[in-house]
Amino acid sequence: MRLAGFYLFAALVALLPVVFPDNYYVTVVGVTAFFNIMLAVGLNLLMGYAGQISLGHAAFFGIGAYVSAVTTVRYGWNPWVAMAAGLVLVWLIANLIARPILRLKGHYLAMATLGFGIIIHIVLVQADAFTGGPDGLSGIPGLVLFGWHVDSDLRWYVVAGAVMLLYVWLSLNIIDSREGRALRAVHGSEVAASTLGIDISGTKVRVFVLSALMASLTGSLFAHQQAFVSPDSFSFFFSIELVTMVVLGGLASTFGAVFGAVILTFLPEFLVVFEDFQMLIYGAILMLIMIFLPRGLFVTMADRIGPMFAGYFRQGIRET
Amino acid sequence: MGVLLQVSGLVKAYGGVRAINDLSFDVKKGKVFSVIGPNGAGKTTLFNLLTGVDTPDTGSVNLDGYELVGRPPHRVAACGVSRTFQNLQIFHNMTVIENVMVGCHLRGCSGLWSAALRLPSLLAEERRIRTWADEALAFCGMEDLAQARSSELSYGVLKKLEIARALAAKPRMLLLDEPAAGLNDTETLEMCELIKKISETGVTVLLVEHNMGLVMDVSSWVFVLNYGSCLAQGTPREIQRNPQVIAAYLGGETGIE
Amino acid sequence: MLDQLIQFLITGITVGAAYALVGLGFAIIYNASDVVNFAQGEFVMIGAMSAISLIDMGIPYGVALAAAVAITVCVGLALEKFAIEQARDATVVSTIIITIGASIFLRGMALIVWGKDIYAMPPFSGEKPIHVGNATMLPQNIWVMAGTAASVLLVRYFFNRTATGKAILACSYNMKAASLVGINVRKMLLISYGLSAGLGALAGILIAPITYITYDSGVMLGLKGFSAAILGGMGNPMGAVAGGMLLGLLECIGAGFISSGYKDAIAFVVILMVLFFRPGGLFGSAQAERV
């Protein structure tokens, strides 16, 4: 069963609010976790599978969020139109920069994506006539889905959860296809992939654009859910956090990205009790995991628990 | 039998050193064409030029009317050229069957969106690709290893996997870069049989190899490369008797008898 | 206009000198171990903060500065010993995350020791401005420039003339070959980390009297140092120095003539352009892959 892990996960997501109704960690932190999962799953396609590091992924998340925020607050656009506008803008930008950026490798690629992320962040801070500057922009309207107002924590849980599951499903599908294998081949050996007829730069560009679009849509949802955006949410640090989510769970595993996103969403919630020590502990955990479990928490666990479970979660082996 | 590949006036220099120096030769359709020569003679460079991995300074490579020079590797591959690598280039992040399925890339056409939404057309194509990949694996005698992780296999098996992957593309010409290097005697014998079997299916084989026994056994034409130039060419029998070749190899480890 | 330009040049060179030192630290570590150390900026912060605290304790100025450098060198050695060395076979992405983790860890430590307060350091030698035409500069500007020049020359001497320096260079070309000819690779790695931590601390001490320092000052400085190293072509120490100077100048001229809010953006746009058109950096060789 190719999607057994997915169904299990979907059932878990559906059951949580039933078992723990009105629980802060489910309906509030849970929604944040969903957004992070969406971002991490998209980034994992680019980083985990295609092997292209991005230290500026928060930029696309930010562009989506800000296009939604600015056009709905300042110009009264319909949120759905705003969302589409965000996607179009991100599509344009991603296509524009993808080719030159993805020609770079290793640390140079890291630098270029990082630089891009910082540029976008600075623009969000500086273009205050539109973005409201460092103070951000508030009063973003909620979403209305066919007359159904998404206005409570639980409703947002449903909407974000559904989109999140869609992302996971899409990602699982892509990996197990001609295009997905091409992605992984590019990661495995560029020269071999190209001599088998795979257009390396085209493949990289497509997945870069796709993960940017996924981030943009997440950003739009995030803006409407929070009703407020500020540049802090889209800084260099958040890009790093996203990379950490993907690596923490385990590169090249969709559920690894899910796992990493969940852990990193809840970790600060629990570290709050340590107050000033929060940062210290966070840094230490990052280092320890990367040093001792470099393949990621989830992937290592999946391998340890045994082939019985690993077969369910690890994609790529197909019996159909 | 017509000519499949026509190489003329090929030159490639690396900082003043001419690795390939004005090479011209023809490869006949459906034959095994071997390139031999001492280490550093420019054999791998030649393969890189033929497959678009590297671009020659001048010269032309013509495959049945298509000019290959100037095309990026994936376009050369689309013209029907497939290859293996001297130092293995296996996708270690995939299973054996997935490696071979990547080989079928050019025979499919589904894109990112149909994959994401898992459209029926994609599923049909996936089934076809899987069948082709199974066939290529079976052809190389590896059908029972389909689900193995490539990182767990021995060197000899990986050599065969690269060939299966290259064959899965249904190439008109297959370039094998030292397929027997590092293999033991039994494996070399198997490789020899495999190359003959490939040739029998009508695929033109371009072979670079140091094992002279294998070369003389499978080739119909042998091309001797020395310092980027042609030292001699002819049938295996002619090459074995060629005094220049014997002189160049004198005292060498080769098994020319 | 001309005075303004001179003023920007003075500031630019000062800022650039600090970037150059940080970039030099990046390049040294990258050369020795193929690791981009994202905690490099934290060395700068720790150096400056320790110096300020020690001076506050009443320790003589010169002693305090030397002790601050020593403390930072110890932090650098510890980083190599307990993090980098433990993850010797890690991939590029893993080492990036490890050093980012280290930078967060060190920042967290600084937060506990020094809190969120803003610190300032008394200048080395007075605050009486020096006039250059209608432009002015502080004595500290000269200290920064001279200090940087001196350390760059020393680093050059170290790598070109001393046996240890040459041994580190040998490691950077081929670690296995270096260890085969009897070079203690692990020791060389330690020395490189110590050296670049020391350079970072020096940068921090030099610029602390001009800027203010907080527990998170290292972030931007680290990023700028990384940019400097990339601009110069990763693994080319003198390229990193040139890259740093260039970056400082660009920033100050951009801030002066275009917009101070966008000064960092201008710097990064230039870096992107350089990477797009010269993917190996300004003074680096193009990347090549062997098949």
Side-chain angles (χ1 to χ4, degrees), chain A residues 103 107-108 112 122 126 287 290, chain C residues 36 102 234 262 265 272 276:
Chain A
R103 272 208 343 238
H107 297 113
Y108 293 90
I122 293 172
Q126 294 297 326
M287 281 163 73
M290 274 340 286
Chain C
V36 166
M234 210 71 212
Y262 281 106
L272 280 187
F276 288 176

Side-chain angles (χ1 to χ4, degrees), chain B residues 4 7 16-17 20 29 43 46 59 63 85 107 121 145-146 183 189 193 196 211 234 249:
Chain B
L4 178 68
V7 175
V17 181
I20 294 293
K29 224 171 247 175
K43 302 184 297 291
L46 176 64
L63 184 93
F85 296 86
R107 299 163 77 186
S121 63
L145 290 172
L183 300 189
L189 221 60
E193 292 311 311
K196 285 181 187 167
N211 186 320
Y249 272 94

Side-chain angles (χ1 to χ4, degrees), chain B residues 100-143:
Chain B
V100 183
M101 285 165 89
V102 173
C104 302
H105 188 84
L106 282 166
R107 299 163 77 186
C109 60
S110 66
L112 200 53
W113 295 107
S114 62
L117 302 172
R118 221 158 178 80
L119 301 178
S121 63
L122 174 109
L123 291 175
E125 187 185 284
E126 281 290 291
R127 271 192 296 274
R128 280 200 302 278
I129 287 180
R130 178 62 199 251
T131 316
W132 291 329
D134 280 334
E135 282 167 13
L137 264 190
F139 187 85
C140 297
M142 297 175 63
E143 58 271 40

Side-chain angles (χ1 to χ4, degrees), chain C:
Chain C
M1 185 67 191
L2 184 68
D3 293 332
Q4 229 180 347
L5 187 67
I6 293 174
Q7 188 69 60
F8 294 149
L9 283 180
I10 292 171
T11 333
I13 291 172
T14 313
V15 175
Y19 293 166
L21 280 183
V22 187
L24 188 57
F26 266 106
I28 290 173
I29 286 187
Y30 179 77
N31 252 348
S33 59
D34 274 342
V35 169
V36 166
N37 173 27
F38 277 91
Q40 192 69 27
E42 271 58 42
F43 293 155
V44 182
M45 175 270 298
I46 291 173
M49 286 288 211
S50 324
I52 294 168
S53 296
L54 292 170
I55 293 168
D56 276 353
M57 283 177 203
I59 292 170
Y61 206 91
V63 181
L65 298 193
V69 173
I71 290 171
T72 317
V73 169
C74 290
V75 172
L77 296 180
L79 175 68
E80 202 282 333
K81 192 93 201 144
F82 297 116
I84 305 298
E85 205 180 298
Q86 307 299 324
R88 229 163 307 150
D89 305 319
T91 58
V92 171
V93 179
S94 302
T95 55
I96 288 179
I97 307 272
I98 290 172
T99 58
I100 286 175
S103 86
I104 298 175
F105 179 81
L106 291 175
R107 230 178 298 141
M109 200 127 87
L111 182 66
I112 293 165
V113 178
W114 290 293
K116 289 188 174 165
D117 302 331
I118 295 168
Y119 288 81
M121 188 164 131
F124 290 14
S125 55
E127 291 178 85
K128 196 159 169 284
I130 303 160
H131 291 277
V132 185
N134 283 331
T136 58
M137 64 198 286
L138 296 169
Q140 192 65 31
N141 288 71
I142 297 174
W143 277 108
V144 175
M145 295 174 202
T148 303
S151 8
V152 169
L153 288 177
L154 274 176
V155 167
R156 257 191 93 107
Y157 177 80
F158 174 71
F159 279 114
N160 291 344
R161 290 295 145 84
T162 66
T164 316
K166 285 181 179 171
I168 294 180
L169 278 184
C171 293
S172 74
Y173 289 125
N174 189 332
M175 228 174 251
K176 209 173 255 169
S179 77
L180 283 177
V181 297
I183 294 171
N184 184 342
V185 173
R186 286 172 61 183
K187 195 169 131 203
M188 294 307 139
L189 282 183
L190 265 179
I191 294 176
S192 319
Y193 275 77
L195 180 62
S196 58
L199 285 171
L202 191 70
I205 291 168
L206 287 170
I207 58 160
I210 316 181
T211 59
Y212 295 104
I213 301 287
T214 58
Y215 78 101
D216 60 357
S217 296
V219 180
M220 230 0 171
L221 278 166
L223 290 183
K224 293 295 172 55
F226 180 32
S227 313
I230 288 274
L231 259 185
M234 210 71 212
N236 175 352
M238 292 309 128
V241 172
M245 301 301 288
L246 196 68
L247 195 61
L249 283 171
L250 258 172
E251 247 182 59
C252 291
I253 291 171
F257 289 116
I258 304 173
S259 146
S260 62
Y262 281 106
K263 73 172 175 138
D264 290 334
I266 295 164
F268 281 110
V269 167
V270 172
I271 289 167
L272 280 187
M273 289 302 133
V274 169
L275 285 178
F276 288 176
F277 295 106
R278 274 198 64 100
L282 286 178
F283 311 101
S285 50
Q287 301 152 282
E289 238 179 324
R290 271 188 76 93
V291 179

Side-chain angles (χ1 to χ4, degrees), chain A residues 60-245:
Chain A
F60 295 117
F61 177 50
I63 296 172
Y66 264 92
V67 169
S68 276
V70 173
T71 54
T72 53
V73 172
R74 297 211 192 273
Y75 305 103
W77 286 22
N78 176 301
W80 300 105
V81 177
M83 208 175 274
L87 287 171
V88 170
L89 183 64
V90 163
W91 185 84
L92 283 172
I93 295 175
N95 269 303
L96 193 70
I97 65 168
R99 243 163 236 280
I101 276 196
L102 294 169
R103 272 208 343 238
L104 304 167
K105 288 194 171 73
H107 297 113
Y108 293 90
L109 179 63
M111 176 77 240
T113 50
L114 188 156
F116 170 71
I118 291 179
I119 292 168
I120 296 295
H121 182 249
I122 293 172
V123 171
L124 295 182
V125 174
Q126 294 297 326
D128 47 6
F130 294 101
T131 63
D135 300 334
L137 205 59
S138 56
I140 303 166
L143 280 183
V144 185
L145 242 169
F146 307 114
W148 185 63
H149 288 261
V150 188
D151 51 8
S152 70
D153 288 344
L154 187 64
R155 287 179 176 193
W156 268 109
Y157 183 94
V158 173
V159 171
V163 179
M164 182 274 291
L165 287 174
L166 176 74
Y167 275 31
V168 172
W169 182 73
L170 292 178
S171 167
L172 292 173
N173 284 347
I174 287 172
I175 285 325
D176 193 16
S177 74
R178 172 175 177 268
E179 187 76 18
R181 283 187 299 272
L183 275 185
R184 289 182 284 159
V186 167
H187 189 184
S189 161
E190 288 202 5
V191 62
S194 67
T195 57
L196 291 169
I198 294 167
D199 174 7
I200 305 278
S201 76
T203 304
K204 286 184 191 173
V205 168
R206 280 194 293 277
V207 71
F208 184 84
V209 172
L210 176 73
S211 74
L213 289 176
M214 287 167 86
S216 169
L217 185 69
T218 312
S220 294
L221 290 174
F222 173 80
H224 289 293
Q225 189 256 346
Q226 297 279 311
F228 166 76
V229 287
S230 84
D232 285 348
S233 314
F234 315 105
S235 67
F236 163 66
F237 297 107
F238 190 61
S239 289
I240 297 297
E241 216 176 312
L242 288 176
V243 171
T244 312
M245 288 173 194

